[in-house]
């Protein structure tokens, strides 16, 4: 069994058979985000480096097992929200495993006492904004990609947003995070 086969076996054990893909179509689709410089570089002959696999965890536990499987095998992880970023952050420039977080899209209710809402990294900003608006609230984070950007991608890229000057950047709105790490498990920060 090749090293790649062993890694794929471990990933499938971690996230489930159907959550792992190494199909040429999926690998090609996750080779870049919307970074114009990378798009132009590919046009001009920069070789594309596809990921080894794409993993779509269905919950936090599967994400943790995936991160641990990657660490065990010494494989880099590229977290992937919706791929709408324009900075190259979701592009597996050196290979590795792309972990697609769109399936982690839970969206809790607003706590009126703390003015907080618990959301998963895969929630699309426009869906969050609509949910908040239904209850009379707003996130106040309005990048031009609001219709297709995920909250996790905005946090990872420290998004600002063209129409967000009233409430600040995304980190001004985040009160806590749950971070998946290979050795320490899930770490909760903030409130």
């Amino acid at each position: 069994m090749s090293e790649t086969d062993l890694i794929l076996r471990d990933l499938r054990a971690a996230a489930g058979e159907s959550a792992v893909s190494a199909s040429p179509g999926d690998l090609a689709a996750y080779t870049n985000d919307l970074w114009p410089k990378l798009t132009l570089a590919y046009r001009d002959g920069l070789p594309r480096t596809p990921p080894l696999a794409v993993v779509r965890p269905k919950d936090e536990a599967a994400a943790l097992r995936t991160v641990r499987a990657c660490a065990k095998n010494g494989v880099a992880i590229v977290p992937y929200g919706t791929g709408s970023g324009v900075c190259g952050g979701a592009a597996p420039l050196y290979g590795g495993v792309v972990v697609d977080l769109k399936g982690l899209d839970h969206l809790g209710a607003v706590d009126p006492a703390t003015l907080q809402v618990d959301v998963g990294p895969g929630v699309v900003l426009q869906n969050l904004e609509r949910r908040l608006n239904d209850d009379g609230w707003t996130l106040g984070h309005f990048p031009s990609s609001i219709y297709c950007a995920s909250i996790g991608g905005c946090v990872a890229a420290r998004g600002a947003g063209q129409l967000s000057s009233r409430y600040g950047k995304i980190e001004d709105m985040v009160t806590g995070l749950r971070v998946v790490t290979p050795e320490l498990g899930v770490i909760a920060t903030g409130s």
Side-chain angles (χ1 to χ4, degrees), residues 39-106:
T39 301
L40 293 174
Y42 287 155
R43 179 202 67 189
D44 294 340
L46 178 73
R48 291 178 184 254
T49 305
L52 174 72
V54 176
V55 180
R56 297 176 181 100
K58 294 180 181 14
D59 55 33
E60 186 179 86
L64 176 58
R65 291 189 304 269
T66 299
V67 166
R68 286 182 168 160
C70 288
K72 171 188 163 195
N73 287 287
V75 177
I77 298 168
V78 179
Y80 196 97
T82 58
S84 66
V86 293
C87 301
L93 298 176
Y94 304 101
V97 170
V98 168
V99 180
D100 181 333
L101 300 170
K102 285 190 287 294
L104 303 179
D105 61 352
H106 68 278

Side-chain angles (χ1 to χ4, degrees), residues 17 22 33 44-45 62 70 76 82 132-133 163 177-178 182:
E17 187 73 31
D33 59 9
D44 294 340
C70 288
T82 58
L132 293 173
N133 292 170
L163 302 172
L177 297 170
R178 291 180 61 78

Side-chain angles (χ1 to χ4, degrees), residues 122-188:
V123 171
V124 172
L125 282 178
Q126 183 60 40
N127 295 338
L128 173 57
E129 186 63 27
R130 281 188 188 131
R131 173 70 175 278
L132 293 173
N133 292 170
D134 288 346
D135 293 335
W137 307 103
T138 184
L139 180 63
H141 187 65
F142 300 104
S144 61
S145 60
I146 190 169
Y147 294 105
C148 60
S150 67
I151 190 75
C154 289
V155 171
R158 296 183 63 203
Q162 290 81 347
L163 302 172
S164 302
S165 59
R166 181 173 186 159
Y167 299 103
K169 293 177 66 178
I170 195 69
E171 67 259 24
D172 297 317
M173 300 163 199
V174 174
T175 59
L177 297 170
R178 291 180 61 78
V179 181
V180 174
T181 69
E183 291 184 16
L184 300 177
V186 179
I187 300 171

Side-chain angles (χ1 to χ4, degrees), residues 3-55:
E3 181 180 348
T4 298
D5 290 335
L6 291 172
I7 294 168
L8 290 172
R9 182 195 66 195
D10 286 351
L11 291 172
R12 288 183 175 115
E17 187 73 31
S18 65
V20 179
S21 176
S23 76
D26 279 342
L27 299 184
Y30 287 87
T31 299
N32 59 288
D33 59 9
L34 296 178
W35 187 23
K37 186 174 179 179
L38 185 58
T39 301
L40 293 174
Y42 287 155
R43 179 202 67 189
D44 294 340
L46 178 73
R48 291 178 184 254
T49 305
L52 174 72
V54 176
V55 180

